[in-house]
Amino acid sequence: MGATTGDERGELALALGGGGARGAYQVGFLRHLARRFPDLRVPVLTGVSAGAINAAYLANHTGSFEQKVAGLVDLWGEISVEQVFRVDERSLVGHILRWAGQLLWFGGRRVRQMRGLVDTRPLAQFLCRTLHCVDGDLPGIERNVAAGDLRAVALVATRYDTGQTITFCQGRDIAMWRRPQRVSRMAELRVEHVMASAALPAFFPAVRIAESWYGDGGMRLHSPLAPAIHLGAGRVMAISTRYGRSSEEAERPTFHGYPPPAQVLGVLLNAIFLDLLDQDAQNLERVNALVDELSAEKRGGLRHVDLLVLRPSQDLGALANEYEPRLPGLFRFLTRRLGTKESRNQDLISLVMFQEDYLRRLIEIGEQDAQARADEIAAFVAGAPDGVSGE
């Protein structure tokens, strides 16, 4: 089946959110989309955290949409914990001892500053290889922009020294924007921008770009849909990795007794990276309703933006329980000291569970969930006036 981008409804954008290893779920959705629309053109791509990896791959690689997604599926099929961060005893124990030394230093010999719980140099090497970078550059982005296959791509990171959310943009016909604590910048995107966007706070070290240090773009991204809208998209497909719990499920405790550190960290990371999409979608729905009631001359630059939100039909954190025993031994031991076995939900572990079996399962679930909404997705891609839709 051929595909139209429904340009009469505005350009189509993919907004790919965070979630660490749960980014594999997005790939399953994309695989369904590519099989249904092999020649689909997506002019606008935005990514944050794990979504930045997926967005950068789609933006940088040439070929049809189907070919790009096939390569992205291969990327997630190759990745492993060892290719994201070092899990050997020497590295993990060394990091623990240096953290302890920094915390307990009372004025003796200076301890080297710690920059993360793990060493992510393997991820940088893996991304350079799979993204086909040239000395860190991603030259395919400019080629795709010149060929008209892509108009704009944006990767979001957090600048630590100012606390600002920085959206790094590359493409054409891009109007820069500045909001309180949200700034856009034109840039020739590199692997460093991808690494910065995906640098989970405390777990992964910050990444230096120019003279500043950056971390995960989801930390202060209160409006996750904003980059795609600022880039001019008229229709946004947002793929979340956060399971939408029912009221009954939300009331059900996942542990008993005092909350273990893993539970606290899991709730914190979900609040930072995954919970804001629903609020932003509601805000967009209200804006759309207002815009639709106003005449063109009274809209003051506001415009209607269609939104389709897709999310997992299963709790990907709870699913991680099945795969936790197969994590590398020492890493599994250390995470269990944080109390991961005391909870029925492994939100924290699921972020770093880059294991073949878990990732493959997430891709399958993503594709199945997309298939269940195939007609709705097809209508949205074709530009049907559906407004805001989600589960």
Side-chain angles (χ1 to χ4, degrees), residues 369-383:
D369 289 350
Q371 181 61 42
R373 300 177 65 183
D375 291 343
E376 183 182 4
I377 293 169
F380 191 86
V381 168

Side-chain angles (χ1 to χ4, degrees), residues 125-330:
Q125 296 167 359
F126 177 78
L127 289 178
C128 273
R129 184 175 72 253
T130 56
L131 291 176
H132 303 163
C133 71
V134 179
D135 295 327
D137 292 332
L138 302 176
I141 295 177
E142 187 57 40
R143 288 197 296 268
N144 284 330
V145 171
D149 294 329
L150 176 71
R151 189 178 62 76
V153 58
L155 306 182
V156 184
T158 301
R159 182 175 167 180
Y160 279 126
D161 59 349
T162 65
Q164 293 173 305
T165 295
I166 308 296
T167 302
F168 295 101
C169 305
Q170 185 173 350
R172 56 178 173 79
D173 302 328
I174 298 175
M176 294 289 95
W177 65 91
R178 178 178 289 271
R179 299 289 185 273
Q181 292 300 314
R182 292 192 287 122
V183 180
S184 64
R185 290 183 181 171
M186 291 295 293
E188 292 186 4
L189 295 177
R190 296 171 49 86
V191 169
E192 287 91 337
H193 295 93
V194 183
M195 288 289 295
S197 184
L200 287 169
F203 281 89
F204 294 178
V207 177
R208 188 172 185 174
I209 300 174
E211 299 303 316
S212 298
W213 293 90
Y214 294 82
D216 198 298
M219 281 190 278
R220 299 194 69 173
L221 187 59
H222 302 303
S223 301
L225 301 173
I229 295 173
H230 280 301
L231 291 175
R235 293 168 300 128
V236 181
M237 284 194 290
I239 311 175
S240 173
T241 60
R242 179 78 151 119
Y243 171 65
R245 295 186 296 173
S246 66
S247 298
E248 180 182 352
E249 289 172 319
E251 294 289 337
R252 189 181 305 148
T254 59
F255 71 96
H256 298 284
Y258 191 83
Q263 180 70 21
V264 176
L265 288 171
V267 172
L268 175 64
L269 292 174
N270 276 336
I272 292 173
F273 300 122
L274 303 177
D275 290 348
L276 294 173
L277 176 60
D278 293 331
Q279 177 182 333
D280 206 20
Q282 291 176 354
N283 291 338
L284 179 59
E285 186 172 15
R286 287 193 286 267
V287 171
N288 283 342
L290 174 64
V291 168
D292 292 343
E293 292 296 322
L294 297 175
S295 60
E297 60 273 12
K298 293 182 179 181
R299 291 180 177 179
L302 296 176
R303 56 193 175 83
H304 184 110
V305 178
D306 290 331
L307 173 66
L308 180 65
V309 178
L310 300 115
R311 65 179 73 254
S313 60
Q314 301 181 39
D315 189 330
L316 304 185
L319 181 67
N321 272 313
E322 300 177 20
Y323 301 89
E324 187 270 349
R326 292 190 283 281
L327 283 169
L330 180 58

Side-chain angles (χ1 to χ4, degrees), residues 24-54:
Y25 174 83
Q26 298 172 349
V27 178
F29 165 80
L30 293 172
R31 184 160 69 177
H32 164 83
L33 196 63
R35 288 176 174 173
R36 187 83 181 263
F37 306 104
D39 298 316
L40 179 66
R41 177 176 172 268
V42 183
V44 178
L45 294 165
T46 70
V48 57
S49 194
I53 297 175
N54 295 334

